Amino acid sequence: MTLRSALWLPIFDELADPVIVARLAAEAEEAGWHGLFVWDHIRWREPVRAIADPWITLAAVASATENLAFGPMVTPPARRRPVKLARETATLDRLSGGRLILGAGLGSDRFGGEFSRTGDEPDDRKRAEMLDESLEILTAAWSGEPVRHHGVHYTVDDITFLPRPARPIPVWLAGFPGKTKPMRRAARYDGFFPVNLPHADEFAEAVETITALREGDETPYDFAIGVPAGTDLAPYERAGATWWMAEFPWDDLSVDAVRGVLREGPA
């Protein structure tokens, strides 16, 4: 499979403006990039001061482009109500004509206290339970059939979510390579995005593990990597990467830096 390329943007400070990000998305599409993905945070450590809402930003991206894939990479559903997320994702997918990819994960409290400072769940294990329930609800809601879910964290009592998305929305799960539960979760969905990836060898091991977990499943599956422009992508591509996310430093971010990578073109 050909390696596809995307910009992966922390929408902080200079990029905390949906007009600017939508313009960058249009430029990326024209330059031949295949996708644009954004971070999903409500707070981050200093020196970051300004942060954009990812969902409003993605709606702007959808409206400014025609073929570009896009989505949050990644969003923590434990911070959101799954019934609202079901409505938002279906609407956004229809707005774009079927181009949304939902990146999801546990999230972390260590970079900005996003959970502990807002009264959201700070415990990783409980957020993992909430993530699993949320994904079950989303999958059921996107089907257009009545949703009946009575779980530990969420209840949906016989609600039908229409209109459906333009097509089945791909779900990519983030996780640390080597941790079994996140990879088992990812194997049940459509893609895996390893976080804090130290080396291509670890990525190759993750690909092997998930491929084995998916034995007998012939549906397409994506493996994404987030590394800076200029990284040798060949070892990752040989290991099975299908997407490259061009990574940018959150503490030294500018529109000019993004444009510089954008104009170099995709891999």
Side-chain angles (χ1 to χ4, degrees):
M1 182 180 291
T2 303
L3 185 68
R4 287 168 286 180
S5 303
L7 301 175
W8 182 34
L9 304 179
I11 43 179
F12 300 161
D13 295 331
E14 283 192 33
L15 297 185
D17 184 335
V19 174
I20 289 174
V21 177
R23 191 174 298 132
L24 290 170
E27 292 173 16
E29 183 171 69
E30 185 175 354
W33 290 78
H34 306 96
L36 182 144
F37 296 86
V38 301
W39 294 24
D40 182 352
H41 293 282
I42 57 169
R43 189 178 185 277
W44 197 258
R45 64 177 64 158
E46 294 182 352
V48 169
R49 295 179 60 83
I51 301 176
D53 177 81
W55 299 93
I56 303 299
T57 302
L58 291 172
V61 168
S63 298
T65 57
E66 295 182 358
N67 300 302
L68 204 71
F70 64 89
M73 200 59 63
V74 296
T75 192
R79 196 170 62 212
R80 319 187 70 243
R81 293 190 62 79
V83 291
K84 191 170 189 300
L85 187 58
R87 291 291 192 203
E88 291 168 339
T89 50
T91 301
L92 188 53
D93 193 61
R94 291 180 70 88
L95 174 64
S96 68
R99 293 184 281 132
L100 174 66
I101 296 172
L102 180 65
L106 294 188
S108 176
D109 202 49
R110 62 184 171 181
F111 300 110
E114 294 181 279
F115 298 97
S116 57
R117 290 188 177 213
T118 57
D120 286 322
E121 179 54 65
D123 183 82
D124 287 352
R125 290 189 178 185
K126 290 183 180 179
R127 288 204 313 281
E129 294 174 0
M130 296 167 79
L131 172 59
D132 287 331
E133 279 196 45
S134 293
L135 293 173
E136 288 178 17
I137 292 168
L138 285 172
T139 302
W142 293 337
S143 74
E145 299 297 322
V147 181
R148 300 177 182 89
H149 178 93
H150 296 269
V152 174
H153 301 283
Y154 304 108
T155 296
V156 186
D157 193 4
D158 197 18
I159 299 176
T160 301
F161 293 80
L162 294 173
R164 296 171 61 185
R167 92 303 189 209
I169 297 173
V171 177
W172 296 356
L173 272 298
F176 290 95
K179 293 204 172 183
T180 303
K181 287 185 178 179
M183 288 197 286
R184 287 188 181 279
R185 180 183 296 115
R188 298 196 299 268
Y189 291 90
D190 308 294
F192 180 59
F193 181 52
V195 294
N196 293 352
L197 187 69
H199 195 272
D201 289 345
E202 284 81 357
F203 176 75
E205 291 174 6
V207 172
E208 290 178 4
T209 298
I210 291 179
T211 300
L213 289 169
R214 289 175 51 82
E215 185 177 4
D217 190 337
E218 300 298 328
T219 56
Y221 194 86
D222 283 300
F223 292 97
I225 53 161
V227 293
T231 302
D232 181 8
L233 300 175
Y236 297 97
E237 192 169 9
R238 285 195 299 270
T242 61
W243 279 85
W244 164 49
M245 305 283 181
E247 184 179 35
F248 294 87
W250 61 266
D251 56 347
D252 186 22
L253 185 65
S254 70
V255 174
D256 287 343
V258 175
R259 280 208 168 100
V261 171
L262 185 161
R263 288 168 179 164
E264 290 178 5

